[in-house]
Amino acid sequence: MASTFGPEIFVSYAQKDKPAARILYNLLRKAGVNVWLDEANLVPGVSWDQAILRQISKADTLLLLAGKESPRRWQEREIAEFLERSVREPKIRIVPVLLQGSDPRNLPVPLQNYQWVDLRTITDPVEQFGRLAAALAIDRHTGEAASDEDIADRLRVSGDPQAARPYYEKAIKVAVARFGEGHPVVAA
């Protein structure tokens, strides 16, 4: 296995989405991403609820897999823990991942303002990984999350212009709000 790099990612999922969680976990691990999945990392004899909460306190990124079902009790707790941390620690990332059959309107209300990764129409795990990897990209110069424009560029170059569009649109909205519509950065 490759050495791990980048942010520490916590995967949150509903039981019915466990097959998708396993696939994404394995793809991320093979790529050397530092990712944590309960069934792969919990050790027999350890209090699983304490181990999960301990891992949440260490992780930089929540990868919330959203399928057909609304989050259940433990997934809601994981979300609440990350939301609470994100208030204190602005570098915390919360990334909803829309799986087949999900509807972004069914995301918990606090997460509806977060940019999601849309995997609803993608069945090929390699394509899913490409889209997810672009969204989780880190700026190699700053160590911060890549900008929306950088993510869009990576998606477009990888052959996924459909996924790039919402990132470009968001980057344009931010530029307009920051510089105004007549600024050369926006007009270009």
Side-chain angles (χ1 to χ4, degrees), residues 5-19:
F5 65 91
E8 192 159 336
I9 297 172
F10 181 91
V11 179
S12 177
Y13 63 95
Q15 283 298 79
K16 285 191 174 184
D17 299 321
K18 189 179 274 193

Side-chain angles (χ1 to χ4, degrees), residues 16-169:
K16 285 191 174 184
D17 299 321
K18 189 179 274 193
R22 287 176 180 152
I23 290 168
L24 291 173
Y25 169 81
N26 287 325
L27 288 169
L28 290 167
R29 288 296 290 181
K30 285 179 185 171
V33 176
N34 192 1
V35 61
W36 195 91
L37 181 71
D38 58 357
E39 77 172 19
N41 295 101
L42 288 175
V43 179
V46 173
S47 169
W48 61 266
D49 57 340
Q50 290 178 6
I52 288 171
L53 291 174
R54 186 172 34 258
Q55 187 59 33
I56 288 171
S57 73
K58 294 178 359 182
D60 308 295
T61 303
L62 168 63
L63 202 60
L64 173 73
L65 304 187
K68 293 177 185 176
E69 290 187 357
S70 296
R72 298 288 192 245
R73 188 175 65 97
W74 255 100
Q75 198 175 24
E76 286 176 348
R77 178 142 185 221
E78 294 164 356
I79 293 165
E81 293 286 334
F82 268 96
L83 286 169
E84 185 179 310
R85 279 192 61 210
S86 72
V87 171
R88 296 186 317 266
E89 303 171 49
K91 289 187 178 184
I92 297 295
R93 292 178 71 190
I94 299 175
V95 182
V97 178
L98 303 180
L99 301 174
Q100 199 168 27
S102 67
D103 184 337
R105 295 172 296 192
N106 294 337
L107 286 171
V109 173
L111 297 183
Q112 290 180 8
N113 290 327
Y114 285 81
Q115 182 68 42
W116 60 73
V117 177
D118 193 348
L119 302 182
R120 292 176 290 179
T121 61
I122 301 175
T123 55
D124 178 42
V126 175
E127 285 183 50
Q128 289 178 340
F129 174 73
R131 189 170 285 188
L132 188 56
L136 295 174
I138 300 295
D139 183 307
R140 66 182 142 218
H141 302 295
T142 66
E144 305 271 327
S147 71
D148 290 313
E149 187 174 2
D150 287 341
I151 293 170
D153 288 344
R154 291 173 194 208
L155 288 165
R156 182 184 46 78
V157 168
S158 74
D160 197 352
Q162 178 183 350
R165 183 180 178 147
Y167 289 99
Y168 280 131
E169 289 171 351

